[in-house]
Amino acid sequence: MSDHLHHECGIAMIRLLKPLQYYQDKYGTSLYGVNKLYLLMEKQHNRGQDGAGVASIKLDVAPGKPYINRYRSVEKNAIPHIFGVINSPIEELRKKFPEKSQNPEWLKEHADFTGELLLGHLRYGTYGGNNIESCHPFLRQNNWMTRNLVVAGNFNMTNVEELFNNLVAVGQHPREKADTVTVMENIGYNLDEENDELYYRFKKEGFTKQQISPLIAANLDIAKILRRSSKRWDGGYVMAGLIGHGDAFVLRDPAGIRPAWYYADDEVVVVTSERPQIQTAFNVPMNAVREIKPGHAIIVKKDGRVSEEMIKEPLERKSCSFERIYFSRGSDADIYKERKELGRLLCPAILESVDKDLRHTVLSFIPNTAEVAFYGMVNGMEEYLREVKKRKILALGAHPDEAKLEEILSIKPRAEKIAIKDAKLRTFITNDSDRTDMVAHVYDITYGTLEPGVDNLVVIDDSIVRGTTLRNSIIRMLDRLNPKKIVIVSSAPQIRYPDCYGIDMAKIGDLVAFKAAVELLEENNLEHIIDEVYAECKALLEKDEHPAENVVKKIYAPFTYEQVSARIAKIVTPKECNAEVEIIFQTIVDLHKACPNNAGDWYFSGDYPTPGGNRVVCKAFTYFVEGSNERAY
């Protein structure tokens, strides 16, 4: 994705089901859980580079001994930093007490993070300061084990204000109005309620206070707590939680917007945001790793029982298609196929753009994350040329001329590595005009790859969000090769609407597709549509309810998909560019053909999967018209 785009986040949870001695005997280390968590987090580092955090809970610890450990970091290399902090004291203990440290129970008593329950989080901050306090996991602490709560998630709520007000209404005084804190306090409140209900039940049955604590731990109904807590949640979420005594859960939203996968055997239960990481870390086949069903939670009780329970009635599945296009790593078997198909399906439009002149067309990709879609595009061109060659060979007759036959067989797509990002180049200059020139050189170009003034250059990208990197860097760079025509191909459709479920697209005015539509409205004397939509949005926002539809769709209604694409091309083309520039976007129809099981397309179509989404887009449009730089969520 040439435009830098953040999204939230990644999780990894591990519950060891055997005593620590088991892992020492079988795998040669009592740090089996810590080592696996490190591997799972490193394999998901694509999901968060603003910070990371780890929490651990030790089971069956004697009173007076710490049993919850947490460490968070916003260092540049946060994951190695965290695990360095975890491992250093353990290594010191091993040096000082070489024999004792071989005993897992001794090590558990004397070293932090040696618990049976571990939770890791990787953070991409969509908003808010990039500081320690913004990093998960979050803690809600108490002297009663069953009231301690550790929470981390990949989520964004659209109705934080409502959830916050609900906490205030029950007498709480939340320390801040942020979705993470609000959600944690929401769960914590219902955890307290469940504790109280069980306490009074067992007290009535004649048990002493000391006897009641383990009874509460054994009978805590995690599913009931989650049902009560999530009743009013509106958003996309995967929420992971640990309870102090040893219960754990991971809850997924009812539309399945954010991804979550799990694996369980008799040794371990593991949950991550992506599937291949579990396959790699635990060397298990793809079909052994299962998706948490929308609206369901994986619940692991302290005694090791594992269940998947429905918490909220599932909605129509709207799993985020951006996960397939860009966010998740392409090492997943299904995602790899889908990305190739996204590239292949663009071939007819590309062929039309270059008048089917593949002899004088060079195919490439930028950035590296578009490489898999590029392979699909090349395969599609090979399929097309196979038919062309077949037709030409048949036309040669029964006794073809060998030279002509050789010429036909040599026809193939021209694929080249055109651009290489210079990771060492830093745009430290703050003056706008000087900075623009520096940005244009972030990528190195491969000279000599096409014939100047003759060849077309087709470059595929994951998606085009704001268009600023295209205008300030990529197209300027590509134009230095003097192509006849530059065709930028997006494997994603036009991004027309803000996201409110975890991707950093809160301001509709930043989206180049929206800018294009507004320019077209103004150019065609249709500004009244902007005023009408603004009035509708204001009226809808004044109501204490979520709008039933996305009225901002009317901004795009007067124009064809192709008209918006053409205007985007005009916006992102620098004035000094010599080549003709065309931009081709994936269609929504073909997106669903390539990714049939992930139909979440609200940023493209405007069809939000939850009611809160329509309210967010109304707010985003209102802020745009009013000239406010405020975020819509």
Side-chain angles (χ1 to χ4, degrees):
M1 186 173 295
S2 53
D3 285 323
H4 192 51
L5 191 62
H6 284 176
H7 68 112
E8 290 195 302
C9 288
I11 63 159
M13 189 186 83
I14 295 175
R15 168 62 203 277
L16 302 178
L17 298 175
K18 302 283 190 182
L20 295 181
Q21 187 66 51
Y22 174 90
Y23 305 96
Q24 176 73 48
D25 294 341
K26 184 172 181 179
Y27 299 106
T29 177
S30 54
L31 296 180
Y32 178 79
V34 172
N35 295 340
K36 292 298 185 184
L37 186 67
Y38 171 72
L39 188 55
L40 291 173
M41 290 178 71
E42 275 289 9
K43 292 294 183 181
Q44 290 186 110
H45 74 270
N46 55 295
R47 304 193 68 85
Q49 296 167 26
D50 287 342
V54 168
S56 170
I57 289 181
K58 301 176 184 180
L59 304 184
D60 302 316
V61 172
K65 298 287 185 179
Y67 57 94
I68 299 178
N69 302 121
R70 178 187 65 163
Y71 192 80
R72 300 175 293 176
S73 173
V74 290
E75 296 289 324
K76 184 178 179 181
N77 296 304
I79 301 171
H81 176 237
I82 288 170
F83 284 90
V85 169
I86 290 172
N87 280 292
S88 292
I90 295 173
E91 288 305 312
E92 288 299 316
L93 284 172
R94 284 174 168 168
K95 290 177 184 176
K96 195 172 182 179
F97 306 100
E99 292 184 9
K100 289 182 178 180
S101 61
Q102 292 301 308
N103 182 334
E105 288 304 318
W106 184 91
L107 197 61
K108 177 179 172 180
E109 183 179 352
H110 291 85
D112 293 341
F113 296 96
T114 51
E116 295 88 345
L117 191 52
L118 302 112
L119 177 61
H121 184 267
L122 302 117
R123 179 177 186 268
Y124 255 141
T126 55
Y127 64 96
N130 186 29
N131 54 51
I132 282 290
E133 295 308 314
S134 300
C135 285
H136 304 202
F138 281 61
L139 294 184
R140 191 175 190 267
Q141 295 179 289
N142 197 286
N143 263 2
W144 278 266
M145 294 182 86
T146 53
R147 292 177 186 259
N148 279 285
L149 178 64
V150 183
V151 170
N154 169 16
F155 67 98
N156 199 71
M157 298 299 176
T158 68
N159 62 333
V160 175
E161 189 84 27
E162 177 190 353
L163 299 175
F164 179 87
N165 291 337
N166 288 336
L167 291 174
V168 174
V170 297
Q172 288 199 16
H173 191 97
R175 65 182 185 272
E176 60 178 293
K177 195 183 291 186
D179 56 0
T180 307
V181 173
T182 303
V183 166
M184 181 179 69
E185 293 299 339
N186 191 204
I187 299 171
Y189 172 80
N190 287 288
L191 177 62
D192 288 344
E193 290 281 288
E194 174 74 357
N195 269 270
D196 288 343
E197 290 173 13
L198 290 171
Y199 173 80
Y200 288 112
R201 173 185 140 192
F202 292 124
K203 184 180 180 183
K204 190 175 180 180
E205 292 175 8
F207 292 97
T208 67
K209 290 180 179 180
Q210 194 168 5
Q211 290 172 326
I212 287 173
S213 285
L215 288 171
I216 291 174
N219 289 275
L220 211 60
D221 190 336
I222 301 299
K224 184 169 77 172
I225 293 168
L226 294 177
R227 289 186 188 107
R228 289 175 172 178
S229 302
S230 63
K231 189 174 181 180
R232 293 185 176 89
W233 292 358
D234 186 290
Y237 51 86
V238 169
M239 205 70 63
L242 316 178
I243 315 297
H245 67 285
D247 285 358
F249 66 85
V250 179
L251 169 63
R252 192 178 184 198
D253 68 82
I257 294 170
R258 303 255 63 88
W261 299 84
Y262 76 99
Y263 167 76
D265 59 22
D266 62 343
E267 292 184 356
V268 67
V269 180
V270 56
V271 183
T272 57
S273 293
E274 298 183 29
R275 176 171 57 182
Q277 288 76 358
I278 297 176
Q279 293 178 246
T280 299
F282 293 88
N283 191 27
V284 294
M286 185 173 73
N287 59 9
V289 185
R290 290 175 283 178
E291 194 174 14
I292 298 178
K293 293 192 285 287
H296 287 63
I298 291 296
I299 297 172
V300 187
K301 292 295 291 178
K302 192 250 182 183
D303 62 11
R305 285 177 293 148
V306 182
S307 61
E308 184 177 14
E309 299 191 37
M310 189 174 78
I311 305 301
K312 300 189 76 171
E313 189 72 36
L315 303 172
E316 181 183 359
R317 182 186 168 95
K318 291 289 183 180
S319 300
C320 176
S321 57
F322 247 133
E323 290 282 351
R324 322 302 285 186
I325 296 167
Y326 170 70
F327 290 143
S328 293
R329 296 179 89 175
S331 55
D332 184 278
D334 290 337
I335 290 176
Y336 186 81
K337 293 174 187 175
E338 290 165 11
R339 289 183 184 175
K340 286 187 72 175
E341 185 66 3
L342 286 168
R344 191 189 72 81
L345 289 170
L346 285 159
C347 288
I350 296 168
L351 287 165
E352 183 179 344
S353 175
V354 299
D355 296 325
K356 299 183 179 178
D357 185 10
L358 292 186
R359 288 182 184 272
H360 300 104
T361 297
V362 172
L363 308 174
S364 194
F365 61 92
I366 190 170
N368 288 343
T369 49
E371 186 174 7
V372 178
F374 166 74
Y375 293 144
M377 179 176 68
V378 172
N379 289 347
M381 293 304 183
E382 289 171 340
E383 291 171 9
Y384 166 75
L385 288 176
R386 189 158 48 246
E387 293 301 314
V388 170
K389 289 189 278 189
K390 185 194 299 183
R391 188 172 64 251
K392 286 178 175 288
I393 289 170
L394 290 173
L396 292 177
H399 304 286
D401 178 87
E402 189 171 337
K404 289 183 178 179
L405 183 60
E406 186 65 35
E407 181 184 349
I408 294 169
L409 291 174
S410 68
I411 299 172
K412 62 181 180 179
R414 295 173 60 191
E416 302 288 354
K417 176 80 170 177
I418 291 293
I420 304 166
K421 191 168 186 178
D422 190 343
K424 297 177 183 178
L425 190 63
R426 297 286 182 265
T427 52
F428 57 89
I429 298 173
T430 56
N431 179 276
D432 286 345
S433 59
D434 291 339
R435 181 178 167 83
T436 297
D437 182 63
M438 289 292 288
V439 168
H441 295 84
V442 167
Y443 288 90
D444 281 334
I445 195 165
T446 308
Y447 291 98
T449 48
L450 61 136
E451 186 176 349
V454 176
D455 288 338
N456 304 303
L457 180 54
V458 175
V459 177
I460 192 166
D461 193 353
D462 301 296
S463 61
I464 300 168
V465 186
R466 304 176 186 96
T468 50
T469 307
L470 274 179
R471 183 181 63 249
N472 295 337
S473 177
I474 292 173
I475 292 177
R476 293 170 187 266
M477 173 195 70
L478 299 177
D479 195 51
R480 294 204 297 270
L481 292 174
N482 298 311
K484 183 175 72 172
K485 184 178 185 180
I486 297 171
V487 183
I488 303 294
V489 185
S490 170
S491 66
Q494 296 168 6
I495 299 171
R496 297 182 164 198
Y497 305 95
D499 181 71
C500 52
Y501 304 117
I503 302 171
D504 188 16
M505 295 191 296
K507 302 173 185 177
I508 196 169
D510 289 346
L511 307 178
V512 70
F514 180 78
K515 291 177 183 176
V518 169
E519 283 191 12
L520 289 170
L521 288 172
E522 292 170 346
E523 187 178 277
N524 290 277
N525 298 316
L526 295 172
E527 296 99 323
H528 64 89
I529 294 177
I530 297 175
D531 298 332
E532 291 166 3
V533 173
Y534 174 68
E536 283 191 72
C537 286
K538 289 291 283 186
L540 288 167
L541 290 171
E542 287 172 4
K543 298 178 180 179
D544 191 23
E545 58 188 41
H546 294 307
E549 61 178 335
N550 177 3
V551 298
V552 181
K553 288 183 179 183
K554 295 176 183 178
I555 294 296
Y556 297 94
F559 312 111
T560 66
Y561 202 67
E562 291 72 24
Q563 284 176 302
V564 175
S565 294
R567 180 48 59 108
I568 292 171
K570 187 175 181 180
I571 291 172
V572 302
T573 302
K575 291 180 180 179
E576 66 274 18
C577 183
N578 294 312
E580 176 190 352
V581 176
E582 182 178 355
I583 295 187
I584 295 172
F585 287 91
Q586 188 74 258
T587 66
I588 294 177
V589 170
D590 281 349
L591 169 69
H592 293 314
K593 286 181 184 175
C595 308
N597 298 317
N598 289 63
D601 63 4
W602 52 92
Y603 15 68
F604 312 128
S605 68
D607 297 330
Y608 288 90
T610 76
N614 290 331
R615 190 171 185 84
V616 166
V617 73
C618 277
K619 194 183 291 186
F621 184 78
T622 301
Y623 289 159
F624 164 76
V625 175
E626 294 173 351
S628 171
N629 197 38
E630 201 172 342
R631 296 177 63 92
Y633 62 88

